[in-house]
Coordinates of all heavy atoms in Angstrom, one line a residue:
M1 N 72.7 144.7 109.5 CA 72.9 145.3 110.8 C 74.3 144.6 111.4 O 74.5 143.4 111.3 CB 71.8 145.0 111.8 CG 72.1 145.5 113.2 SD 70.5 145.7 114.1 CE 71.1 146.4 115.6
E2 N 75.1 145.5 111.9 CA 76.4 145.0 112.4 C 76.3 144.4 113.8 O 75.4 144.8 114.6 CB 77.4 146.2 112.4 CG 77.6 146.8 111.0 CD 78.5 148.0 111.1 OE1 79.3 148.1 112.1 OE2 78.5 148.8 110.2
R3 N 77.1 143.4 114.0 CA 77.0 142.8 115.3 C 78.2 143.2 116.2 O 79.3 143.4 115.7 CB 77.1 141.3 115.2 CG 75.9 140.7 114.6 CD 76.0 139.2 114.4 NE 77.4 138.7 114.6 CZ 77.7 137.5 114.8 NH1 76.7 136.6 114.9 NH2 78.9 137.1 114.9
Y4 N 78.0 143.5 117.4 CA 79.0 143.9 118.3 C 79.1 143.0 119.5 O 78.1 142.5 119.9 CB 78.8 145.3 118.8 CG 78.7 146.4 117.7 CD1 77.5 146.8 117.2 CD2 79.8 146.9 117.2 CE1 77.4 147.7 116.2 CE2 79.8 147.8 116.2 CZ 78.6 148.2 115.6 OH 78.5 149.1 114.6
S5 N 80.3 142.8 120.0 CA 80.4 141.9 121.2 C 81.3 142.6 122.1 O 82.1 143.5 121.8 CB 81.0 140.6 120.8 OG 82.3 140.7 120.3
L6 N 81.2 142.2 123.4 CA 82.0 142.9 124.5 C 83.0 141.8 125.0 O 82.6 140.8 125.4 CB 81.1 143.3 125.6 CG 81.8 143.9 126.8 CD1 82.5 145.2 126.4 CD2 80.8 144.2 127.9
K7 N 84.3 142.1 124.8 CA 85.4 141.1 125.3 C 86.3 141.9 126.1 O 86.9 142.9 125.7 CB 86.1 140.6 124.1 CG 85.2 139.7 123.2 CD 86.0 139.3 122.0 CE 85.1 138.5 121.0 NZ 85.8 138.1 119.8
L8 N 86.4 141.5 127.4 CA 87.3 142.1 128.3 C 87.2 143.6 128.4 O 88.1 144.3 128.5 CB 88.8 141.7 128.0 CG 89.1 140.3 127.9 CD1 90.5 140.0 127.4 CD2 89.0 139.7 129.3
G9 N 85.9 144.1 128.5 CA 85.6 145.5 128.6 C 85.8 146.3 127.4 O 85.9 147.5 127.5
R10 N 86.0 145.7 126.2 CA 86.2 146.4 125.0 C 85.2 146.0 123.9 O 84.8 144.8 123.9 CB 87.6 146.2 124.4 CG 88.8 146.6 125.3 CD 89.0 148.1 125.4 NE 89.4 148.6 124.1 CZ 89.6 149.9 123.8 NH1 89.4 150.7 124.7 NH2 90.0 150.3 122.6
F11 N 84.7 146.9 123.2 CA 83.7 146.6 122.1 C 84.4 146.3 120.8 O 85.3 147.0 120.4 CB 82.7 147.7 122.0 CG 81.7 147.8 123.0 CD1 82.0 148.6 124.2 CD2 80.5 147.1 123.0 CE1 81.0 148.6 125.2 CE2 79.6 147.1 124.0 CZ 79.9 147.9 125.1
Y12 N 84.0 145.2 120.2 CA 84.6 144.7 118.9 C 83.5 144.5 117.9 O 82.3 144.2 118.2 CB 85.3 143.4 119.2 CG 86.6 143.5 119.9 CD1 86.5 143.5 121.3 CD2 87.8 143.5 119.3 CE1 87.7 143.6 122.1 CE2 89.0 143.6 120.0 CZ 88.9 143.7 121.4 OH 90.0 143.8 122.1
E13 N 83.8 144.6 116.6 CA 82.9 144.3 115.6 C 83.5 143.1 114.8 O 84.5 143.2 114.2 CB 82.8 145.5 114.6 CG 81.9 145.2 113.4 CD 82.0 146.4 112.4 OE1 82.6 147.4 112.8 OE2 81.5 146.2 111.3
D14 N 82.8 142.0 114.9 CA 83.2 140.8 114.2 C 84.8 140.5 114.5 O 85.6 140.3 113.6 CB 83.1 140.9 112.7 CG 81.6 140.9 112.3 OD1 80.8 140.3 113.0 OD2 81.2 141.6 111.4
D15 N 85.1 140.5 115.8 CA 86.4 140.2 116.2 C 87.5 141.3 115.8 O 88.7 141.0 115.9 CB 86.9 138.8 115.8 CG 86.1 137.8 116.6 OD1 85.6 138.0 117.6 OD2 85.9 136.8 115.9
K16 N 87.1 142.4 115.3 CA 88.0 143.4 114.9 C 87.6 144.7 115.7 O 86.4 144.9 115.9 CB 88.0 143.8 113.5 CG 88.5 142.6 112.6 CD 88.4 142.9 111.1 CE 88.9 141.7 110.3 NZ 88.6 142.0 108.9
I17 N 88.6 145.5 116.2 CA 88.2 146.7 116.9 C 87.5 147.7 116.0 O 87.8 147.8 114.8 CB 89.4 147.4 117.5 CG1 90.1 146.5 118.6 CG2 89.1 148.7 118.1 CD1 91.4 147.1 119.2
L18 N 86.4 148.2 116.5 CA 85.6 149.2 115.7 C 86.5 150.3 115.1 O 87.4 150.7 115.8 CB 84.5 149.9 116.5 CG 83.4 149.0 116.9 CD1 82.5 149.6 118.0 CD2 82.5 148.6 115.7
Q19 N 86.2 150.8 113.9 CA 87.0 151.8 113.3 C 86.6 153.2 113.9 O 87.4 154.1 113.8 CB 86.8 151.8 111.8 CG 87.2 150.5 111.2 CD 88.8 150.3 111.4 OE1 89.5 151.2 111.2 NE2 89.1 149.1 111.8
H20 N 85.4 153.3 114.4 CA 84.9 154.6 114.9 C 85.4 154.8 116.3 O 84.8 154.4 117.3 CB 83.4 154.7 114.8 CG 82.9 154.3 113.5 ND1 82.9 155.2 112.4 CD2 82.2 153.2 113.0 CE1 82.4 154.5 111.3 NE2 82.0 153.3 111.7
E21 N 86.6 155.5 116.5 CA 87.2 155.6 117.8 C 86.4 156.3 118.8 O 86.4 156.0 119.9 CB 88.6 156.3 117.6 CG 89.7 155.4 117.1 CD 89.9 154.2 117.9 OE1 90.0 154.3 119.2 OE2 90.1 153.0 117.3
E22 N 85.6 157.4 118.3 CA 84.8 158.2 119.2 C 83.7 157.3 119.8 O 83.5 157.4 121.0 CB 84.2 159.4 118.5 CG 85.3 160.4 118.1 CD 84.7 161.6 117.3 OE1 83.4 161.6 117.2 OE2 85.5 162.4 116.9
V23 N 83.1 156.5 119.0 CA 82.0 155.7 119.5 C 82.6 154.6 120.4 O 82.1 154.3 121.4 CB 81.3 155.0 118.3 CG1 80.3 153.9 118.8 CG2 80.6 156.0 117.4
L24 N 83.7 154.0 120.0 CA 84.4 153.0 120.8 C 84.8 153.5 122.2 O 84.5 152.9 123.2 CB 85.6 152.5 120.0 CG 86.5 151.5 120.8 CD1 85.7 150.2 121.0 CD2 87.7 151.2 120.0
D25 N 85.3 154.8 122.2 CA 85.7 155.4 123.5 C 84.5 155.6 124.3 O 84.5 155.4 125.5 CB 86.5 156.7 123.2 CG 87.9 156.4 122.7 OD1 88.4 155.3 122.8 OD2 88.4 157.4 122.1
L26 N 83.4 156.1 123.7 CA 82.2 156.3 124.5 C 81.6 155.1 125.1 O 81.3 155.0 126.3 CB 81.1 157.0 123.6 CG 79.8 157.4 124.3 CD1 80.0 158.3 125.4 CD2 78.9 157.9 123.2
L27 N 81.6 154.0 124.2 CA 81.1 152.7 124.7 C 81.9 152.2 125.9 O 81.4 151.7 126.9 CB 81.0 151.7 123.6 CG 79.9 151.9 122.5 CD1 80.1 151.0 121.3 CD2 78.6 151.7 123.1
N28 N 83.2 152.2 125.7 CA 84.1 151.7 126.7 C 84.1 152.5 128.0 O 84.1 152.0 129.1 CB 85.5 151.6 126.2 CG 85.7 150.5 125.2 OD1 85.1 149.4 125.5 ND2 86.3 150.7 124.1
K29 N 84.0 153.9 127.9 CA 83.9 154.7 129.1 C 82.6 154.4 129.8 O 82.5 154.4 131.0 CB 84.0 156.2 128.7 CG 85.4 156.6 128.4 CD 85.5 158.0 128.0 CE 86.9 158.4 127.5 NZ 87.0 159.8 127.0
S30 N 81.5 154.2 129.1 CA 80.2 153.9 129.7 C 80.3 152.6 130.4 O 79.7 152.4 131.5 CB 79.1 153.9 128.6 OG 79.0 155.1 128.0
H31 N 80.9 151.6 129.8 CA 81.0 150.3 130.3 C 81.8 150.4 131.6 O 81.4 149.8 132.7 CB 81.6 149.3 129.4 CG 81.8 147.9 129.9 ND1 82.5 147.7 131.0 CD2 81.3 146.8 129.5 CE1 82.5 146.4 131.2 NE2 81.8 145.8 130.3
E32 N 82.9 151.1 131.6 CA 83.8 151.3 132.8 C 83.0 151.9 133.9 O 83.1 151.5 135.1 CB 85.0 152.1 132.4 CG 86.0 152.2 133.5 CD 87.2 153.0 133.1 OE1 87.6 152.9 131.9 OE2 87.8 153.6 134.0
E33 N 82.2 153.0 133.6 CA 81.4 153.7 134.6 C 80.4 152.7 135.2 O 80.2 152.7 136.4 CB 80.8 154.9 134.0 CG 80.0 155.7 135.0 CD 80.8 156.3 136.1 OE1 82.1 156.6 135.8 OE2 80.3 156.6 137.2
V34 N 79.7 151.9 134.4 CA 78.8 151.0 134.9 C 79.4 150.0 135.9 O 78.9 149.7 137.0 CB 78.0 150.2 133.8 CG1 77.2 149.1 134.3 CG2 77.1 151.2 133.0
M35 N 80.6 149.5 135.5 CA 81.3 148.5 136.3 C 81.7 149.1 137.7 O 81.6 148.5 138.7 CB 82.5 147.9 135.6 CG 82.1 147.1 134.3 SD 80.8 145.8 134.7 CE 81.8 144.7 135.7
N36 N 82.2 150.4 137.6 CA 82.5 151.1 138.8 C 81.3 151.3 139.7 O 81.4 151.2 140.9 CB 83.2 152.5 138.5 CG 84.5 152.3 137.9 OD1 85.2 151.3 138.1 ND2 85.0 153.3 137.2
L37 N 80.2 151.7 139.1 CA 79.0 151.8 140.0 C 78.5 150.5 140.6 O 78.1 150.5 141.7 CB 77.9 152.4 139.1 CG 78.0 153.8 138.7 CD1 77.0 154.2 137.6 CD2 77.9 154.8 139.9
R38 N 78.6 149.4 139.8 CA 78.2 148.1 140.4 C 79.2 147.8 141.6 O 78.8 147.2 142.6 CB 78.3 147.1 139.3 CG 77.2 147.2 138.3 CD 77.2 146.1 137.3 NE 76.9 144.8 137.9 CZ 77.0 143.7 137.2 NH1 77.4 143.7 136.0 NH2 76.7 142.6 137.9
Y39 N 80.5 148.1 141.4 CA 81.5 147.8 142.5 C 81.1 148.6 143.7 O 81.1 148.1 144.8 CB 82.9 148.1 142.0 CG 84.0 148.1 143.0 CD1 84.4 146.8 143.4 CD2 84.5 149.2 143.5 CE1 85.4 146.7 144.3 CE2 85.5 149.1 144.5 CZ 86.0 147.9 144.9 OH 86.9 147.8 145.8
D40 N 80.9 149.9 143.5 CA 80.5 150.7 144.7 C 79.3 150.3 145.4 O 79.2 150.4 146.6 CB 80.4 152.2 144.2 CG 81.7 152.9 143.8 OD1 82.8 152.3 144.2 OD2 81.7 153.9 143.1
L41 N 78.3 149.9 144.6 CA 77.0 149.4 145.1 C 77.2 148.2 146.0 O 76.7 148.0 147.1 CB 76.0 149.2 144.1 CG 74.6 148.7 144.6 CD1 74.0 149.8 145.5 CD2 73.7 148.5 143.4
T42 N 78.0 147.3 145.5 CA 78.3 146.1 146.2 C 79.0 146.4 147.5 O 78.7 145.8 148.6 CB 79.2 145.1 145.4 OG1 78.5 144.7 144.2 CG2 79.5 143.8 146.1
K43 N 80.0 147.3 147.5 CA 80.7 147.7 148.7 C 79.7 148.3 149.7 O 79.7 148.0 150.9 CB 81.8 148.7 148.4 CG 83.0 148.0 147.8 CD 84.3 149.0 147.7 CE 84.0 150.4 147.9 NZ 85.2 151.2 147.7
F44 N 78.8 149.1 149.2 CA 77.8 149.8 150.1 C 76.9 148.7 150.7 O 76.7 148.8 151.9 CB 77.0 150.7 149.2 CG 75.8 151.3 150.0 CD1 75.9 152.3 150.9 CD2 74.5 150.8 149.7 CE1 74.9 152.8 151.6 CE2 73.4 151.3 150.4 CZ 73.6 152.3 151.3
K45 N 76.4 147.8 149.9 CA 75.6 146.7 150.5 C 76.3 145.9 151.6 O 75.7 145.6 152.6 CB 75.0 145.8 149.4 CG 74.0 146.5 148.5 CD 73.5 145.7 147.5 CE 72.4 146.3 146.7 NZ 71.8 145.4 145.7
L46 N 77.6 145.6 151.4 CA 78.3 144.8 152.3 C 78.5 145.6 153.6 O 78.4 145.1 154.7 CB 79.7 144.5 151.8 CG 79.6 143.4 150.7 CD1 81.0 143.3 150.0 CD2 79.1 142.1 151.2
V47 N 78.7 146.9 153.6 CA 78.9 147.8 154.7 C 77.5 147.8 155.5 O 77.4 147.7 156.7 CB 79.3 149.2 154.4 CG1 79.2 150.2 155.5 CG2 80.8 149.1 153.9
M48 N 76.4 147.9 154.7 CA 75.1 148.0 155.4 C 74.8 146.7 156.1 O 74.2 146.7 157.2 CB 74.0 148.3 154.3 CG 74.0 149.7 153.7 SD 73.9 151.0 155.0 CE 72.3 150.7 155.7
L49 N 75.2 145.6 155.5 CA 74.9 144.3 156.1 C 75.7 144.2 157.4 O 75.2 143.7 158.4 CB 75.4 143.1 155.2 CG 74.4 142.8 154.1 CD1 75.0 141.8 153.1 CD2 73.1 142.3 154.6
E50 N 77.0 144.7 157.5 CA 77.7 144.8 158.7 C 77.0 145.7 159.7 O 77.0 145.3 160.9 CB 79.1 145.2 158.4 CG 80.0 144.2 157.7 CD 81.5 144.7 157.5 OE1 81.9 145.4 158.4 OE2 82.1 144.3 156.5
I51 N 76.6 146.8 159.3 CA 75.9 147.7 160.2 C 74.7 147.0 160.8 O 74.4 147.1 162.1 CB 75.5 149.0 159.5 CG1 76.8 149.8 159.2 CG2 74.6 149.9 160.4 CD1 76.6 151.0 158.3
I52 N 73.9 146.3 160.0 CA 72.7 145.7 160.5 C 73.1 144.6 161.5 O 72.4 144.5 162.6 CB 71.9 145.0 159.3 CG1 71.3 146.1 158.5 CG2 70.9 144.0 159.8 CD1 70.7 145.6 157.2
E53 N 74.1 143.9 161.2 CA 74.6 142.8 162.2 C 75.0 143.4 163.5 O 74.7 142.9 164.6 CB 75.7 142.0 161.6 CG 75.3 141.1 160.4 CD 76.5 140.4 159.7 OE1 77.7 140.6 160.2 OE2 76.2 139.7 158.7
D54 N 75.7 144.5 163.4 CA 76.2 145.2 164.7 C 75.0 145.7 165.5 O 74.9 145.6 166.7 CB 77.2 146.3 164.4 CG 78.5 145.8 163.9 OD1 78.8 144.6 164.1 OD2 79.3 146.6 163.3
L55 N 74.0 146.3 164.7 CA 72.8 146.9 165.4 C 72.0 145.7 166.0 O 71.4 145.9 167.1 CB 72.0 147.7 164.5 CG 72.6 149.0 164.0 CD1 71.7 149.7 162.9 CD2 72.7 150.0 165.2
E56 N 71.9 144.6 165.3 CA 71.1 143.5 165.8 C 71.7 143.0 167.2 O 71.0 142.5 168.0 CB 71.0 142.4 164.9 CG 70.1 142.8 163.7 CD 69.9 141.7 162.6 OE1 71.0 141.0 162.4 OE2 68.9 141.6 162.0
K57 N 73.0 143.1 167.3 CA 73.7 142.6 168.5 C 73.4 143.5 169.8 O 73.4 143.0 170.9 CB 75.2 142.5 168.3 CG 75.6 141.5 167.3 CD 77.1 141.5 167.1 CE 77.5 140.5 166.0 NZ 78.9 140.6 165.7
G58 N 73.2 144.8 169.5 CA 72.9 145.7 170.6 C 71.4 145.8 171.0 O 70.6 145.3 170.3
K59 N 71.2 146.3 172.1 CA 69.8 146.5 172.6 C 69.3 147.9 172.3 O 70.0 148.9 172.3 CB 69.8 146.3 174.2 CG 70.2 144.9 174.5 CD 69.8 144.5 175.9 CE 70.3 143.1 176.2 NZ 69.3 142.3 176.8
G60 N 68.1 148.0 172.1 CA 67.4 149.3 171.8 C 67.6 149.7 170.3 O 67.3 150.9 170.0
N61 N 68.2 148.9 169.5 CA 68.4 149.3 168.1 C 67.4 148.7 167.1 O 67.6 148.8 165.9 CB 69.8 148.9 167.7 CG 70.9 149.6 168.4 OD1 70.8 150.8 168.8 ND2 72.0 148.9 168.7
D62 N 66.4 148.1 167.7 CA 65.4 147.4 166.8 C 64.8 148.3 165.8 O 64.6 148.0 164.6 CB 64.3 146.8 167.6 CG 64.8 145.7 168.5 OD1 65.9 145.1 168.2 OD2 64.2 145.3 169.5
K63 N 64.5 149.6 166.1 CA 63.9 150.5 165.2 C 64.8 150.9 164.1 O 64.4 151.0 162.9 CB 63.3 151.7 165.9 CG 64.4 152.6 166.5 CD 63.7 153.8 167.2 CE 64.8 154.7 167.8 NZ 64.2 155.9 168.4
Y64 N 66.1 151.0 164.3 CA 67.1 151.3 163.3 C 67.2 150.1 162.3 O 67.3 150.3 161.1 CB 68.4 151.6 163.9 CG 68.4 152.9 164.8 CD1 68.5 152.8 166.1 CD2 68.0 154.1 164.2 CE1 68.5 153.9 167.0 CE2 67.9 155.3 165.0 CZ 68.2 155.2 166.4 OH 68.1 156.2 167.2
V65 N 67.3 148.9 162.9 CA 67.4 147.7 162.1 C 66.2 147.5 161.2 O 66.3 147.3 160.0 CB 67.6 146.5 163.0 CG1 67.6 145.2 162.2 CG2 68.9 146.6 163.7
K66 N 65.0 147.8 161.8 CA 63.8 147.6 161.0 C 63.8 148.7 159.8 O 63.4 148.4 158.7 CB 62.6 147.9 161.9 CG 61.3 147.7 161.2 CD 60.1 148.0 162.2 CE 58.8 147.9 161.4 NZ 57.7 148.3 162.2
W67 N 64.2 149.9 160.2 CA 64.2 151.0 159.1 C 65.1 150.6 158.0 O 64.8 150.8 156.8 CB 64.5 152.3 159.7 CG 64.4 153.4 158.7 CD1 63.4 154.2 158.4 CD2 65.5 153.9 157.8 NE1 63.7 155.1 157.4 CE2 65.0 154.9 157.1 CE3 66.8 153.5 157.6 CZ2 65.7 155.6 156.1 CZ3 67.6 154.1 156.7 CH2 67.0 155.2 155.9
I68 N 66.3 150.2 158.3 CA 67.3 149.8 157.3 C 66.8 148.7 156.5 O 66.9 148.7 155.2 CB 68.7 149.5 157.9 CG1 69.3 150.7 158.5 CG2 69.6 148.8 156.9 CD1 70.5 150.4 159.4
K69 N 66.2 147.6 157.1 CA 65.8 146.5 156.3 C 64.6 146.9 155.4 O 64.5 146.3 154.3 CB 65.4 145.4 157.3 CG 66.5 144.6 157.9 CD 66.1 143.5 158.8 CE 67.3 142.7 159.3 NZ 66.9 141.6 160.2
E70 N 63.8 147.8 155.8 CA 62.6 148.2 155.0 C 63.0 149.2 153.9 O 62.4 149.2 152.8 CB 61.6 148.9 155.9 CG 60.9 147.9 156.8 CD 59.9 148.6 157.8 OE1 59.9 149.9 157.8 OE2 59.2 148.0 158.5
N71 N 64.1 149.9 154.0 CA 64.5 151.0 153.1 C 65.7 150.7 152.3 O 65.9 151.5 151.4 CB 64.6 152.3 153.8 CG 63.3 152.8 154.4 OD1 62.4 153.2 153.7 ND2 63.1 152.7 155.7
V72 N 66.5 149.7 152.6 CA 67.7 149.5 151.9 C 67.7 148.0 151.4 O 67.6 147.1 152.2 CB 69.0 149.7 152.8 CG1 70.2 149.4 152.0 CG2 69.0 151.2 153.3
D73 N 67.9 147.8 150.1 CA 68.0 146.5 149.5 C 69.4 146.1 149.6 O 70.3 146.6 148.9 CB 67.5 146.5 148.1 CG 67.6 145.1 147.4 OD1 67.8 144.2 148.2 OD2 67.6 145.1 146.2
V74 N 69.7 145.2 150.5 CA 71.1 144.7 150.7 C 71.4 143.4 150.1 O 72.4 142.7 150.4 CB 71.5 144.7 152.2 CG1 71.5 146.1 152.8 CG2 70.6 143.8 153.0
T75 N 70.5 142.9 149.2 CA 70.7 141.6 148.5 C 71.8 141.8 147.5 O 71.8 142.8 146.8 CB 69.5 141.1 147.9 OG1 69.0 142.1 147.0 CG2 68.4 140.7 148.9
L76 N 72.8 140.9 147.5 CA 73.8 140.9 146.5 C 73.5 140.1 145.3 O 72.8 139.1 145.4 CB 75.1 140.4 147.1 CG 75.7 141.1 148.3 CD1 76.8 140.4 148.9 CD2 76.0 142.5 148.0
G77 N 73.9 140.6 144.1 CA 73.6 139.8 143.0 C 73.1 140.6 141.8 O 72.9 141.7 141.7

């Protein structure tokens, strides 16, 4: 079985670029899409945390803060 490693967002086979360009392109595009999704999710969570902080400062927003905290996972990591 061949071993593959990921270095700087590129897939390699035993420190040489894979010969199968179609597979290589698919793997790299998939990796790039996953990284973009993780970036977008992190930005979303940071915005939600700011919204929660702003709502907690205001009066009468308790039900919105409670709903967000119960329905949105804003933990980073």
Side-chain angles (χ1 to χ4, degrees):
M1 178 160 182
E2 298 176 20
R3 294 181 342 166
Y4 300 99
S5 62
L6 178 64
K7 298 177 184 178
L8 300 174
R10 300 287 294 178
F11 284 90
Y12 289 81
E13 174 187 353
D14 295 328
D15 295 328
K16 296 178 183 173
I17 295 179
L18 290 170
Q19 298 299 316
H20 309 287
E21 286 297 320
E22 292 176 7
V23 174
L24 178 64
D25 288 341
L26 179 62
L27 288 171
N28 287 316
K29 286 177 184 176
S30 297
H31 180 299
E32 184 178 330
E33 183 65 24
V34 167
M35 296 309 291
N36 288 336
L37 289 171
R38 290 181 68 188
Y39 174 76
D40 290 342
L41 180 60
T42 299
K43 283 189 349 186
F44 171 76
K45 288 181 176 184
L46 290 171
V47 169
M48 289 304 296
L49 285 171
E50 286 184 35
I51 290 171
I52 290 171
E53 289 173 4
D54 288 345
L55 288 172
E56 286 176 331
K57 293 176 186 174
K59 296 193 181 230
N61 294 326
D62 294 338
K63 64 181 179 179
Y64 300 112
V65 172
K66 181 180 176 187
W67 184 90
I68 292 171
K69 286 182 176 180
E70 289 174 354
N71 293 287
V72 179
D73 178 14
V74 292
T75 55
L76 299 173

